[in-house]
Amino acid sequence: MVPAMAKGRSTAGKPPRKAAPKGAAAVLALTPRDLLRWARRGVAGVVGGFLFLVLAFTLINPVMTPYMVAESWRRGGIARDWVPIEEIAPELARAVVAAEDANFCLHWGFDMRAIRAALDEGSGRGASTLSQQVVKNVFLWQGRSWPRKALEALMTPVVELVWTKRRILEVYLNVAETGIGTFGAEAGAQRYFGVSASELGAGQAALIAATLPDPKGRNPVRPSGFLKKRARAIGEGAATIRADGRSACFED
């Protein structure tokens, strides 16, 4: 009598199946091709996220930025109040452009003349446009480093392509640091002069614009001789860009 065969496939003579690697062993088991595939997915995810935010921020206001979050955590809170550009005195908009990027309406994100002049002087001071500063403030981190500058250079043309000049300036006026724990035109105007951003006069606007390179170290209410001189130059520059049409791209 032939004995009945056991149900199922026989495993006699076959080596036991190895358990799938876990944790660090799983990472070590990845091949170079696997690593490259995951790296590509990571880059694609970052690029896709950036493009999504650029499109979203054409309509949605980026009320908080990475730097704002860091300062709020460090100081236990910050002063900020987003206002549309229509509620910001045009004197302040012109003063900021005159102070930070006089050719704002003429370039595509980079002021090549300013960059060449900065290279000739052996310094990067004054070469960063408002568009670059918006990219840094909204999407990147503070501090000088080549990785950040490289990302900034790649991202700035995208923002210039999608946003209008008026939108770029509106975002800048609302996220720029205007004092210790203070961000944006409205919070700065309230802090220093006790008025809303829409009520700022030309002299007050020039003083606020003069503090932007060093908002923690300069005070428009108690300006030094240098700050007064700088504010006067900014006021003259604001009048000039209005007269020669270099403010047309952000004014009604």
Side-chain angles (χ1 to χ4, degrees), residues 74-110:
R74 190 166 68 91
R75 298 184 177 279
I78 58 173
R80 60 174 176 81
D81 188 8
W82 184 285
V83 292
I85 196 170
E86 293 81 9
E87 297 179 19
I88 297 175
E91 289 82 2
L92 180 60
R94 287 193 293 268
V96 166
V97 171
E100 297 291 297
D101 186 5
N103 293 319
F104 176 63
C105 288
L106 306 179
H107 62 65
W108 49 275
F110 305 98

mmCIF file of all heavy atoms in Angstrom, residues 74-110:
data_model
loop_
_atom_site.group_PDB
_atom_site.id
_atom_site.type_symbol
_atom_site.label_atom_id
_atom_site.label_comp_id
_atom_site.label_asym_id
_atom_site.label_seq_id
_atom_site.Cartn_x
_atom_site.Cartn_y
_atom_site.Cartn_z
ATOM 1 N N ARG A 74 12.534 81.711 19.515
ATOM 2 C CA ARG A 74 13.653 82.206 20.319
ATOM 3 C C ARG A 74 13.240 83.325 21.253
ATOM 4 O O ARG A 74 13.713 83.419 22.385
ATOM 5 C CB ARG A 74 14.773 82.688 19.390
ATOM 6 C CG ARG A 74 16.081 83.015 20.089
ATOM 7 C CD ARG A 74 17.204 83.152 19.077
ATOM 8 N NE ARG A 74 17.040 84.314 18.243
ATOM 9 C CZ ARG A 74 17.551 85.512 18.535
ATOM 10 N NH1 ARG A 74 18.228 85.684 19.651
ATOM 11 N NH2 ARG A 74 17.383 86.531 17.718
ATOM 12 N N ARG A 75 12.332 84.179 20.794
ATOM 13 C CA ARG A 75 11.940 85.348 21.581
ATOM 14 C C ARG A 75 10.611 85.180 22.308
ATOM 15 O O ARG A 75 10.196 86.059 23.061
ATOM 16 C CB ARG A 75 11.862 86.583 20.668
ATOM 17 C CG ARG A 75 13.192 86.946 20.039
ATOM 18 C CD ARG A 75 13.093 88.217 19.224
ATOM 19 N NE ARG A 75 14.403 88.565 18.690
ATOM 20 C CZ ARG A 75 15.342 89.188 19.391
ATOM 21 N NH1 ARG A 75 15.106 89.544 20.644
ATOM 22 N NH2 ARG A 75 16.515 89.459 18.827
ATOM 23 N N GLY A 76 9.938 84.094 22.039
ATOM 24 C CA GLY A 76 8.644 83.903 22.672
ATOM 25 C C GLY A 76 7.520 84.663 22.001
ATOM 26 O O GLY A 76 6.482 84.925 22.600
ATOM 27 N N GLY A 77 7.706 85.034 20.747
ATOM 28 C CA GLY A 77 6.678 85.748 19.998
ATOM 29 C C GLY A 77 7.278 86.857 19.156
ATOM 30 O O GLY A 77 8.380 87.346 19.425
ATOM 31 N N ILE A 78 6.564 87.239 18.107
ATOM 32 C CA ILE A 78 6.996 88.324 17.234
ATOM 33 C C ILE A 78 5.795 89.206 16.924
ATOM 34 O O ILE A 78 4.644 88.813 17.135
ATOM 35 C CB ILE A 78 7.596 87.799 15.909
ATOM 36 C CG1 ILE A 78 6.561 86.930 15.168
ATOM 37 C CG2 ILE A 78 8.896 87.054 16.151
ATOM 38 C CD1 ILE A 78 7.006 86.512 13.775
ATOM 39 N N ALA A 79 6.065 90.408 16.418
ATOM 40 C CA ALA A 79 5.011 91.320 15.971
ATOM 41 C C ALA A 79 4.946 91.275 14.455
ATOM 42 O O ALA A 79 5.952 91.485 13.778
ATOM 43 C CB ALA A 79 5.302 92.741 16.457
ATOM 44 N N ARG A 80 3.797 90.975 13.919
ATOM 45 C CA ARG A 80 3.604 90.928 12.468
ATOM 46 C C ARG A 80 2.129 91.125 12.173
ATOM 47 O O ARG A 80 1.258 90.749 12.959
ATOM 48 C CB ARG A 80 4.074 89.591 11.903
ATOM 49 C CG ARG A 80 3.328 88.399 12.487
ATOM 50 C CD ARG A 80 3.704 87.089 11.821
ATOM 51 N NE ARG A 80 3.049 85.958 12.446
ATOM 52 C CZ ARG A 80 1.807 85.577 12.200
ATOM 53 N NH1 ARG A 80 1.087 86.255 11.314
ATOM 54 N NH2 ARG A 80 1.273 84.554 12.829
ATOM 55 N N ASP A 81 1.838 91.706 11.046
ATOM 56 C CA ASP A 81 0.447 91.939 10.648
ATOM 57 C C ASP A 81 0.423 92.144 9.145
ATOM 58 O O ASP A 81 0.829 93.188 8.655
ATOM 59 C CB ASP A 81 -0.114 93.162 11.380
ATOM 60 C CG ASP A 81 -1.611 93.336 11.149
ATOM 61 O OD1 ASP A 81 -2.220 92.427 10.547
ATOM 62 O OD2 ASP A 81 -2.160 94.365 11.554
ATOM 63 N N TRP A 82 -0.026 91.142 8.426
ATOM 64 C CA TRP A 82 -0.046 91.230 6.959
ATOM 65 C C TRP A 82 -1.078 92.253 6.494
ATOM 66 O O TRP A 82 -2.225 92.246 6.944
ATOM 67 C CB TRP A 82 -0.365 89.868 6.353
ATOM 68 C CG TRP A 82 -0.306 89.873 4.849
ATOM 69 C CD1 TRP A 82 -1.213 90.405 3.992
ATOM 70 C CD2 TRP A 82 0.755 89.355 4.042
ATOM 71 N NE1 TRP A 82 -0.808 90.242 2.702
ATOM 72 C CE2 TRP A 82 0.404 89.607 2.698
ATOM 73 C CE3 TRP A 82 1.966 88.704 4.329
ATOM 74 C CZ2 TRP A 82 1.221 89.222 1.631
ATOM 75 C CZ3 TRP A 82 2.775 88.309 3.262
ATOM 76 C CH2 TRP A 82 2.395 88.579 1.939
ATOM 77 N N VAL A 83 -0.660 93.125 5.593
ATOM 78 C CA VAL A 83 -1.581 94.070 4.969
ATOM 79 C C VAL A 83 -1.330 94.056 3.466
ATOM 80 O O VAL A 83 -0.183 93.907 3.032
ATOM 81 C CB VAL A 83 -1.402 95.506 5.518
ATOM 82 C CG1 VAL A 83 -1.848 95.588 6.970
ATOM 83 C CG2 VAL A 83 0.039 95.985 5.382
ATOM 84 N N PRO A 84 -2.361 94.190 2.656
ATOM 85 C CA PRO A 84 -2.156 94.225 1.203
ATOM 86 C C PRO A 84 -1.384 95.473 0.807
ATOM 87 O O PRO A 84 -1.373 96.479 1.529
ATOM 88 C CB PRO A 84 -3.580 94.235 0.642
ATOM 89 C CG PRO A 84 -4.422 94.756 1.757
ATOM 90 C CD PRO A 84 -3.787 94.297 3.016
ATOM 91 N N ILE A 85 -0.758 95.438 -0.348
ATOM 92 C CA ILE A 85 0.071 96.549 -0.776
ATOM 93 C C ILE A 85 -0.743 97.829 -0.962
ATOM 94 O O ILE A 85 -0.225 98.939 -0.842
ATOM 95 C CB ILE A 85 0.835 96.185 -2.073
ATOM 96 C CG1 ILE A 85 1.984 97.167 -2.312
ATOM 97 C CG2 ILE A 85 -0.118 96.088 -3.256
ATOM 98 C CD1 ILE A 85 2.931 96.739 -3.416
ATOM 99 N N GLU A 86 -2.034 97.653 -1.213
ATOM 100 C CA GLU A 86 -2.903 98.828 -1.348
ATOM 101 C C GLU A 86 -3.017 99.597 -0.036
ATOM 102 O O GLU A 86 -3.375 100.779 -0.040
ATOM 103 C CB GLU A 86 -4.302 98.410 -1.810
ATOM 104 C CG GLU A 86 -4.368 97.844 -3.220
ATOM 105 C CD GLU A 86 -3.967 96.379 -3.278
ATOM 106 O OE1 GLU A 86 -3.811 95.761 -2.207
ATOM 107 O OE2 GLU A 86 -3.830 95.853 -4.399
ATOM 108 N N GLU A 87 -2.741 98.943 1.083
ATOM 109 C CA GLU A 87 -2.817 99.582 2.392
ATOM 110 C C GLU A 87 -1.440 99.943 2.947
ATOM 111 O O GLU A 87 -1.279 100.183 4.142
ATOM 112 C CB GLU A 87 -3.556 98.660 3.373
ATOM 113 C CG GLU A 87 -5.005 98.400 2.975
ATOM 114 C CD GLU A 87 -5.708 97.465 3.938
ATOM 115 O OE1 GLU A 87 -5.228 97.296 5.077
ATOM 116 O OE2 GLU A 87 -6.752 96.891 3.546
ATOM 117 N N ILE A 88 -0.460 99.996 2.070
ATOM 118 C CA ILE A 88 0.884 100.442 2.433
ATOM 119 C C ILE A 88 1.171 101.723 1.669
ATOM 120 O O ILE A 88 0.936 101.802 0.465
ATOM 121 C CB ILE A 88 1.936 99.367 2.086
ATOM 122 C CG1 ILE A 88 1.676 98.094 2.895
ATOM 123 C CG2 ILE A 88 3.350 99.881 2.358
ATOM 124 C CD1 ILE A 88 2.599 96.940 2.537
ATOM 125 N N ALA A 89 1.643 102.726 2.366
ATOM 126 C CA ALA A 89 1.909 104.006 1.722
ATOM 127 C C ALA A 89 2.836 103.824 0.520
ATOM 128 O O ALA A 89 3.876 103.167 0.639
ATOM 129 C CB ALA A 89 2.547 104.965 2.731
ATOM 130 N N PRO A 90 2.493 104.382 -0.621
ATOM 131 C CA PRO A 90 3.371 104.249 -1.795
ATOM 132 C C PRO A 90 4.750 104.835 -1.546
ATOM 133 O O PRO A 90 5.728 104.412 -2.167
ATOM 134 C CB PRO A 90 2.617 104.999 -2.895
ATOM 135 C CG PRO A 90 1.619 105.870 -2.184
ATOM 136 C CD PRO A 90 1.268 105.146 -0.932
ATOM 137 N N GLU A 91 4.827 105.794 -0.606
ATOM 138 C CA GLU A 91 6.135 106.363 -0.257
ATOM 139 C C GLU A 91 7.065 105.292 0.311
ATOM 140 O O GLU A 91 8.271 105.298 0.053
ATOM 141 C CB GLU A 91 5.968 107.501 0.753
ATOM 142 C CG GLU A 91 5.341 108.765 0.204
ATOM 143 C CD GLU A 91 3.816 108.699 0.134
ATOM 144 O OE1 GLU A 91 3.249 107.659 0.567
ATOM 145 O OE2 GLU A 91 3.199 109.670 -0.335
ATOM 146 N N LEU A 92 6.499 104.356 1.076
ATOM 147 C CA LEU A 92 7.324 103.293 1.646
ATOM 148 C C LEU A 92 7.752 102.303 0.564
ATOM 149 O O LEU A 92 8.908 101.865 0.545
ATOM 150 C CB LEU A 92 6.571 102.556 2.751
ATOM 151 C CG LEU A 92 7.355 101.414 3.419
ATOM 152 C CD1 LEU A 92 8.631 101.941 4.067
ATOM 153 C CD2 LEU A 92 6.499 100.695 4.455
ATOM 154 N N ALA A 93 6.835 101.952 -0.319
ATOM 155 C CA ALA A 93 7.183 101.034 -1.411
ATOM 156 C C ALA A 93 8.310 101.616 -2.256
ATOM 157 O O ALA A 93 9.290 100.922 -2.566
ATOM 158 C CB ALA A 93 5.955 100.754 -2.270
ATOM 159 N N ARG A 94 8.201 102.891 -2.615
ATOM 160 C CA ARG A 94 9.257 103.517 -3.416
ATOM 161 C C ARG A 94 10.563 103.622 -2.632
ATOM 162 O O ARG A 94 11.655 103.422 -3.178
ATOM 163 C CB ARG A 94 8.814 104.894 -3.896
ATOM 164 C CG ARG A 94 7.763 104.853 -4.996
ATOM 165 C CD ARG A 94 7.588 106.218 -5.647
ATOM 166 N NE ARG A 94 7.007 107.185 -4.738
ATOM 167 C CZ ARG A 94 5.697 107.430 -4.628
ATOM 168 N NH1 ARG A 94 4.831 106.743 -5.360
ATOM 169 N NH2 ARG A 94 5.257 108.349 -3.792
ATOM 170 N N ALA A 95 10.464 103.942 -1.340
ATOM 171 C CA ALA A 95 11.670 104.074 -0.525
ATOM 172 C C ALA A 95 12.405 102.744 -0.412
ATOM 173 O O ALA A 95 13.637 102.690 -0.494
ATOM 174 C CB ALA A 95 11.303 104.610 0.863
ATOM 175 N N VAL A 96 11.663 101.663 -0.216
ATOM 176 C CA VAL A 96 12.286 100.342 -0.091
ATOM 177 C C VAL A 96 12.963 99.945 -1.402
ATOM 178 O O VAL A 96 14.090 99.430 -1.402
ATOM 179 C CB VAL A 96 11.240 99.291 0.330
ATOM 180 C CG1 VAL A 96 11.777 97.878 0.135
ATOM 181 C CG2 VAL A 96 10.822 99.509 1.775
ATOM 182 N N VAL A 97 12.306 100.185 -2.516
ATOM 183 C CA VAL A 97 12.910 99.867 -3.808
ATOM 184 C C VAL A 97 14.148 100.721 -4.043
ATOM 185 O O VAL A 97 15.197 100.221 -4.470
ATOM 186 C CB VAL A 97 11.890 100.059 -4.942
ATOM 187 C CG1 VAL A 97 12.578 99.938 -6.308
ATOM 188 C CG2 VAL A 97 10.769 99.036 -4.837
ATOM 189 N N ALA A 98 14.062 102.008 -3.738
ATOM 190 C CA ALA A 98 15.214 102.897 -3.912
ATOM 191 C C ALA A 98 16.386 102.464 -3.045
ATOM 192 O O ALA A 98 17.547 102.540 -3.457
ATOM 193 C CB ALA A 98 14.816 104.337 -3.585
ATOM 194 N N ALA A 99 16.076 101.987 -1.840
ATOM 195 C CA ALA A 99 17.133 101.597 -0.902
ATOM 196 C C ALA A 99 17.745 100.248 -1.229
ATOM 197 O O ALA A 99 18.960 100.057 -1.105
ATOM 198 C CB ALA A 99 16.575 101.582 0.521
ATOM 199 N N GLU A 100 16.913 99.283 -1.633
ATOM 200 C CA GLU A 100 17.361 97.900 -1.768
ATOM 201 C C GLU A 100 17.586 97.431 -3.201
ATOM 202 O O GLU A 100 18.379 96.521 -3.429
ATOM 203 C CB GLU A 100 16.340 96.973 -1.094
ATOM 204 C CG GLU A 100 16.174 97.182 0.391
ATOM 205 C CD GLU A 100 17.407 96.755 1.167
ATOM 206 O OE1 GLU A 100 17.753 95.570 1.135
ATOM 207 O OE2 GLU A 100 18.044 97.633 1.786
ATOM 208 N N ASP A 101 16.874 98.039 -4.166
ATOM 209 C CA ASP A 101 16.933 97.482 -5.526
ATOM 210 C C ASP A 101 16.342 98.498 -6.507
ATOM 211 O O ASP A 101 15.235 98.329 -7.003
ATOM 212 C CB ASP A 101 16.149 96.167 -5.562
ATOM 213 C CG ASP A 101 16.258 95.426 -6.879
ATOM 214 O OD1 ASP A 101 17.021 95.877 -7.757
ATOM 215 O OD2 ASP A 101 15.585 94.399 -7.034
ATOM 216 N N ALA A 102 17.119 99.537 -6.810
ATOM 217 C CA ALA A 102 16.600 100.647 -7.610
ATOM 218 C C ALA A 102 16.165 100.219 -9.004
ATOM 219 O O ALA A 102 15.292 100.852 -9.610
ATOM 220 C CB ALA A 102 17.651 101.754 -7.712
ATOM 221 N N ASN A 103 16.742 99.148 -9.535
ATOM 222 C CA ASN A 103 16.380 98.666 -10.872
ATOM 223 C C ASN A 103 15.399 97.504 -10.811
ATOM 224 O O ASN A 103 15.338 96.687 -11.739
ATOM 225 C CB ASN A 103 17.649 98.250 -11.623
ATOM 226 C CG ASN A 103 18.537 99.431 -11.936
ATOM 227 O OD1 ASN A 103 18.062 100.509 -12.312
ATOM 228 N ND2 ASN A 103 19.845 99.253 -11.768
ATOM 229 N N PHE A 104 14.636 97.432 -9.745
ATOM 230 C CA PHE A 104 13.688 96.340 -9.531
ATOM 231 C C PHE A 104 12.772 96.118 -10.728
ATOM 232 O O PHE A 104 12.505 94.971 -11.111
ATOM 233 C CB PHE A 104 12.865 96.645 -8.279
ATOM 234 C CG PHE A 104 11.780 95.659 -7.977
ATOM 235 C CD1 PHE A 104 12.075 94.336 -7.683
ATOM 236 C CD2 PHE A 104 10.441 96.047 -7.963
ATOM 237 C CE1 PHE A 104 11.074 93.414 -7.394
ATOM 238 C CE2 PHE A 104 9.436 95.139 -7.672
ATOM 239 C CZ PHE A 104 9.747 93.821 -7.390
ATOM 240 N N CYS A 105 12.291 97.175 -11.327
ATOM 241 C CA CYS A 105 11.360 97.055 -12.451
ATOM 242 C C CYS A 105 12.054 96.710 -13.764
ATOM 243 O O CYS A 105 11.376 96.410 -14.751
ATOM 244 C CB CYS A 105 10.578 98.356 -12.628
ATOM 245 S SG CYS A 105 9.340 98.661 -11.340
ATOM 246 N N LEU A 106 13.372 96.736 -13.785
ATOM 247 C CA LEU A 106 14.095 96.562 -15.039
ATOM 248 C C LEU A 106 14.744 95.197 -15.197
ATOM 249 O O LEU A 106 15.138 94.828 -16.314
ATOM 250 C CB LEU A 106 15.182 97.647 -15.168
ATOM 251 C CG LEU A 106 14.710 99.095 -15.032
ATOM 252 C CD1 LEU A 106 15.904 100.037 -15.167
ATOM 253 C CD2 LEU A 106 13.630 99.425 -16.052
ATOM 254 N N HIS A 107 14.899 94.438 -14.118
ATOM 255 C CA HIS A 107 15.609 93.169 -14.222
ATOM 256 C C HIS A 107 14.652 91.983 -14.105
ATOM 257 O O HIS A 107 13.478 92.136 -13.806
ATOM 258 C CB HIS A 107 16.723 93.078 -13.169
ATOM 259 C CG HIS A 107 16.241 93.116 -11.749
ATOM 260 N ND1 HIS A 107 15.460 92.129 -11.184
ATOM 261 C CD2 HIS A 107 16.442 94.028 -10.758
ATOM 262 C CE1 HIS A 107 15.201 92.417 -9.931
ATOM 263 N NE2 HIS A 107 15.775 93.561 -9.638
ATOM 264 N N TRP A 108 15.183 90.771 -14.326
ATOM 265 C CA TRP A 108 14.398 89.524 -14.307
ATOM 266 C C TRP A 108 14.710 88.702 -13.057
ATOM 267 O O TRP A 108 14.490 87.492 -13.034
ATOM 268 C CB TRP A 108 14.683 88.700 -15.550
ATOM 269 C CG TRP A 108 16.144 88.534 -15.822
ATOM 270 C CD1 TRP A 108 16.957 89.410 -16.491
ATOM 271 C CD2 TRP A 108 16.989 87.455 -15.424
ATOM 272 N NE1 TRP A 108 18.249 88.945 -16.522
ATOM 273 C CE2 TRP A 108 18.303 87.739 -15.871
ATOM 274 C CE3 TRP A 108 16.767 86.256 -14.737
ATOM 275 C CZ2 TRP A 108 19.386 86.898 -15.656
ATOM 276 C CZ3 TRP A 108 17.858 85.403 -14.523
ATOM 277 C CH2 TRP A 108 19.133 85.722 -14.973
ATOM 278 N N GLY A 109 15.202 89.362 -12.028
ATOM 279 C CA GLY A 109 15.516 88.682 -10.782
ATOM 280 C C GLY A 109 16.925 88.936 -10.304
ATOM 281 O O GLY A 109 17.212 88.848 -9.114
ATOM 282 N N PHE A 110 17.826 89.241 -11.251
ATOM 283 C CA PHE A 110 19.218 89.524 -10.922
ATOM 284 C C PHE A 110 19.626 90.845 -11.572
ATOM 285 O O PHE A 110 19.383 91.053 -12.760
ATOM 286 C CB PHE A 110 20.135 88.403 -11.419
ATOM 287 C CG PHE A 110 19.753 87.042 -10.913
ATOM 288 C CD1 PHE A 110 18.998 86.183 -11.700
ATOM 289 C CD2 PHE A 110 20.124 86.621 -9.656
ATOM 290 C CE1 PHE A 110 18.634 84.930 -11.245
ATOM 291 C CE2 PHE A 110 19.758 85.363 -9.180
ATOM 292 C CZ PHE A 110 19.004 84.519 -9.981
#
